[in-house]
Amino acid sequence: MADNRAEVIVIGGSSGSIPVAMEIINALPLSYLIPIVIVIHRLRNVASELAQVMSATHQIHEPEDKEPLQKGHIYLAPQNYHLLIESDKTFSMDYSEPVNHSRPSIDVTLMCAATVYKENAVGILLSGANKDGADGMDAIIRKGGRAIVQDPSCCQSPVMPQEALKKNSHIEIQNVVSLVNTLLLYSNK
Amino acid sequence: MDQEITTEQLKEVLLLVKARYGYDFSQYSEASIKRRLERFKKIARVSLPDLKYHLVNDSSFFFWLLESVTVNVTEMFRDPPFYKALVNAVIPLLQTYPRIKIWHAGCSTGEEAYSMAILLHEAGLLERTRIYATDINMANIEKAASGIITLERTKEYTANYHKAGGNADFSDYYSALYDNVVISKELKKNILFSQHNLVVDEVFNEFQLICCRNVMIYFNHALQAHVIDLFYRSLSPLGFLALGTKESLLFSDKTAKFEVIDNTNKIFRLKANG
Ligand SMILES: C[S@@+](CC[C@H](N)C(=O)[O-])C[C@H]1O[C@@H](n2cnc3c(N)ncnc32)[C@H](O)[C@@H]1O
């Protein structure tokens, strides 16, 4: 597990997760190569410029339909669409019903990452007040990948990490500093 | 029953559907159609072998599957900035044509076509416009043609309409009917709803504007290229093509034939020498 290469990192979060996601991204070197996909619940038609404001240093962008996932890129799931990953490692958008009252749903992207990248997928779940992401983190582990939640005791809303931990006991718990270290270690492999 | 469907199993089901009913989903985006099929399996509470058995033996089961597997979610004035852009950048140019023809491909239950009719009405152009609204799914077409919308959605549509720049009283465009509203006859009159499958059906007219929003996201590269070529051949010289906000012409060999009118709202126009 831990000694696998990582080919994709999916970071999911809901309420209270935006500052944490920003902290993690900003701590990574600009030359960080592993593609990162951020899926964060946002209010509809609010903060559509999130991709611009999330990081002053790192470029984050919302992918277009069928855009290939590329090394060194940080992606943000657009509002109102589920963000899927195809087996040829391109993104697909899906405007179907919300999952867990959420669109984008973290579960949907995590499950695709698990199916496509298997043991080379890393899922990270941050603060949030609902249970989206739990099934997806479980899928990541079942396909041999690595799943880590933000330490619930440090979360603004601990429900999301807790629900994931209930679902699968192989999910690791880390605080933000160790999460960053974990990601940095992958980049050296 | 909750098991993930493998690529092989998906192929088998799609082959069966094609052989038995003639609908070819083999070039749909795999991640999406797999998810939809898994979801349908749960709703129908069937195992994979049972699903196949029912598909072979029961055509109503297939139509149920068709309705569940394709994504039909739509709304009136969805993405208000898009409609604003239409009013500013496209409709003034349509005005120059004596007869205006517009195609909504993948119109689902019609909300998009009715929104267009409202804009044209307000621009004084509806009388000389014909809107062709098509979809693969006959159930959608029937619902669209009825013009019936649930009352509870009108609040959201009214807000969208005003965000899109509409100034009229939105309730003038429908009349109430119990828990529903019915779109006014004036708006319906110039819309023709019919079945058309973008995978196999051909060019059927020539249009100054084609809207195909949030349909091609469910197709793979190859099918997207096929459909963009179909639109290319269906557009009149200098015709407009509008896609969904997350869709692009980037992956088509027809990219160079179009100029970008509005990259945020995904409005393109066939070049003069296109
Ligand atoms: C998400 S809806 C889009 C509705 C509307 N254009 C909008 O953006 O709100 C997608 C529609 O595409 C239709 N569709 C899927 N495959 C199609 C095909 N091969 N030919 C025509 N329509 C198709 C579906 O039946 C569905 O109604």
Side-chain angles (χ1 to χ4, degrees):
Chain A
M1 283 224 293
D3 41 74
N4 280 329
R5 273 178 324 122
E7 276 184 33
V8 73
I9 295 161
V10 178
I11 302 179
S14 192
S15 62
S17 70
I18 293 179
V20 185
M22 284 168 72
E23 196 181 333
I24 294 172
I25 297 297
N26 288 330
L28 298 176
L30 286 174
S31 58
Y32 197 76
L33 277 185
I34 305 163
I36 298 176
V37 184
I38 304 169
V39 185
I40 284 182
H41 299 155
R42 291 180 266 173
L43 282 179
R44 217 187 148 181
N45 301 333
V46 172
S48 47
E49 63 293 328
L50 184 63
Q52 281 82 56
V53 303
M54 265 193 81
S55 174
T57 45
H58 294 64
Q59 219 185 337
I60 301 178
H61 79 277
E62 295 187 358
E64 304 237 306
D65 180 55
K66 303 296 174 298
E67 184 171 328
L69 275 92
Q70 281 182 305
K71 284 208 172 112
H73 284 235
I74 306 173
Y75 303 96
L76 178 68
Q79 272 172 295
N80 295 333
Y81 292 86
H82 295 304
L83 185 62
L84 276 54
I85 304 172
E86 298 289 332
S87 52
D88 64 357
K89 299 178 184 169
T90 56
F91 287 110
S92 268
M93 308 290 155
D94 184 330
Y95 193 82
S96 54
E97 302 74 10
V99 174
N100 302 315
H101 309 287
S102 313
R103 191 177 56 211
S105 145
I106 301 165
D107 273 340
V108 169
T109 306
L110 282 172
M111 282 179 190
C112 287
T115 305
V116 173
Y117 290 91
K118 305 198 172 61
E119 67 278 9
N120 298 320
V122 177
I124 293 175
L125 199 59
L126 308 175
S127 171
N130 60 28
K131 68 179 184 66
D132 192 23
D135 288 340
M137 293 290 268
D138 177 52
I140 294 264
I141 296 276
R142 282 190 288 110
K143 296 274 177 183
R146 187 168 180 199
I148 313 167
V149 293
Q150 182 188 0
D151 185 343
S153 63
C154 309
C155 287
Q156 190 184 314
S157 312
V159 178
M160 217 151 82
Q162 281 166 350
E163 290 294 325
L165 290 167
K166 260 191 240 166
K167 182 100 199 182
N168 191 314
S169 57
H170 295 289
I171 296 172
E172 298 166 52
I173 304 173
Q174 294 186 4
N175 62 26
V176 175
V177 176
S178 23
L179 270 172
V180 168
N181 282 331
T182 304
L183 297 190
L184 288 174
L185 280 175
Y186 274 116
S187 72
N188 298 332
K189 281 181 188 163
Chain B
M1 273 198 343
D2 261 22
Q3 284 248 311
E4 194 188 317
I5 293 172
T6 66
T7 303
E8 279 314 306
Q9 290 167 332
L10 175 73
K11 274 192 189 140
E12 281 166 27
V13 173
L14 297 187
L15 264 177
L16 195 159
V17 164
K18 188 177 172 193
R20 174 81 168 78
Y21 300 98
Y23 285 87
D24 182 1
F25 293 106
S26 63
Q27 297 186 87
Y28 277 51
S29 140
E30 186 182 319
S32 165
I33 197 147
K34 218 192 242 175
R35 250 194 88 223
R36 303 297 294 173
L37 201 60
E38 280 161 8
R39 178 175 167 276
F40 175 74
K41 227 174 108 241
K42 253 188 234 169
I43 296 172
R45 294 164 176 271
V46 288
S47 65
L48 199 62
D50 283 348
L51 183 130
K52 289 201 248 174
Y53 175 84
H54 290 307
L55 276 178
V56 172
N57 294 296
D58 177 1
S59 64
S60 67
F61 187 84
F62 165 69
F63 287 105
W64 183 26
L65 178 135
L66 175 66
E67 270 166 51
S68 317
V69 165
T70 55
V71 176
N72 303 316
V73 185
T74 186
E75 61 191 69
M76 283 184 86
F77 294 100
R78 171 177 185 174
D79 307 319
F82 165 72
Y83 287 93
K84 217 174 218 174
L86 276 184
V87 171
N88 293 330
V90 178
I91 291 189
L93 291 160
L94 293 182
Q95 202 150 4
T96 56
Y97 295 94
R99 301 277 311 144
I100 304 167
K101 280 182 282 181
I102 299 176
W103 180 15
H104 287 273
C107 67
S108 192
T109 41
E111 283 78 350
E112 190 182 81
Y114 288 123
S115 308
M116 181 69 80
I118 289 174
L119 295 186
L120 293 163
H121 167 77
E122 294 183 354
L125 299 177
L126 187 57
E127 282 306 315
R128 53 182 159 112
T129 303
R130 196 125 250 252
I131 297 175
Y132 297 79
T134 63
D135 201 274
I136 188 177
N137 185 345
M138 205 50 210
N140 284 345
I141 290 300
E142 278 163 17
K143 184 140 186 276
S146 77
I148 295 174
I149 290 167
T150 51
L151 184 62
E152 61 175 9
R153 297 211 68 182
T154 53
K155 203 172 143 200
E156 178 196 350
Y157 295 171
T158 307
N160 282 354
Y161 165 73
H162 290 302
K163 268 189 229 151
N167 301 319
D169 187 345
F170 191 63
S171 62
D172 287 349
Y173 294 124
Y174 58 77
S175 46
L177 185 81
Y178 307 105
D179 290 338
N180 295 311
V181 304
V182 190
I183 297 285
S184 83
K185 281 203 185 70
E186 285 301 296
L187 294 175
K188 276 162 90 169
K189 197 171 73 185
N190 293 341
I191 309 180
L192 197 77
F193 288 102
S194 57
Q195 195 176 26
H196 181 284
N197 180 349
L198 292 166
V199 179
V200 290
D201 292 332
E202 257 305 319
V203 174
F204 63 95
N205 213 320
E206 193 181 282
F207 306 94
Q208 285 98 34
L209 168 62
I210 298 177
C211 292
C212 184
R213 311 190 70 228
N214 304 300
V215 179
M216 281 193 282
I217 48 178
Y218 303 105
F219 299 171
N220 72 12
H221 285 164
L223 184 54
Q224 288 187 349
H226 167 83
V227 173
I228 288 170
D229 181 62
L230 175 71
F231 293 155
Y232 170 71
R233 291 182 286 118
S234 304
L235 279 172
S236 61
L238 295 172
F240 293 91
L241 174 63
L243 306 178
T245 42
K246 286 290 146 196
E247 295 169 312
S248 79
L249 284 178
L250 280 181
F251 309 108
S252 142
D253 60 343
K254 293 289 183 295
T255 316
K257 305 278 185 194
F258 290 90
E259 76 175 296
V260 180
I261 298 293
D262 183 333
N263 196 37
T264 311
N265 294 301
K266 299 296 153 71
I267 301 175
F268 307 89
R269 188 179 198 188
L270 206 54
K271 287 181 186 164
N273 56 359

